[in-house]
Amino acid sequence: MQQDKQPEYRPVVFRDRSAGYAFLTRSTATSDTTIEWDDGNTYPVIDVEISSESHPFYTGKARTVDTEGRIAKFERRYGEQG
């Protein structure tokens, strides 16, 4: 592999504005916007729409489906018609 063709891998802050959550990680993503992090350094910031803090699956706020209730309702409505 040629070293001069690889993208720069550096610290980047990913920020979920809907949840008010941000985390620092390493990435090849680029951004012109910067943010001052808790350690006093300035890093590029990438705004994302969904993160683990706002996604319903990870936060536990997903709607659970009551499949047993639906089957019972179906059987009450359409069962034993004869």
Side-chain angles (χ1 to χ4, degrees):
M1 254 196 276
Q2 297 176 354
Q3 293 296 331
D4 58 339
K5 293 193 178 192
Q6 298 300 316
E8 184 182 353
Y9 191 66
R10 64 185 176 284
V12 176
V13 175
F14 285 90
R15 178 174 53 189
D16 182 352
R17 289 189 167 240
S18 64
Y21 177 69
F23 59 94
L24 177 66
T25 188
R26 295 179 52 85
S27 177
T28 59
T30 60
S31 175
D32 294 332
T33 311
T34 59
I35 188 172
E36 186 173 335
W37 195 243
D38 299 335
D39 61 4
N41 294 327
T42 302
Y43 300 107
V45 63
I46 307 284
D47 290 322
V48 294
E49 294 180 19
I50 296 176
S51 71
S52 61
E53 290 293 312
S54 62
H55 193 280
F57 178 76
Y58 294 109
T59 59
K61 296 178 185 173
R63 195 178 104 208
T64 56
V65 178
D66 181 20
T67 55
E68 186 175 331
R70 288 184 179 192
I71 293 169
K73 183 178 177 182
F74 178 83
E75 288 176 348
R76 279 194 311 269
R77 185 178 290 173
Y78 301 108
E80 303 274 342
Q81 294 180 4

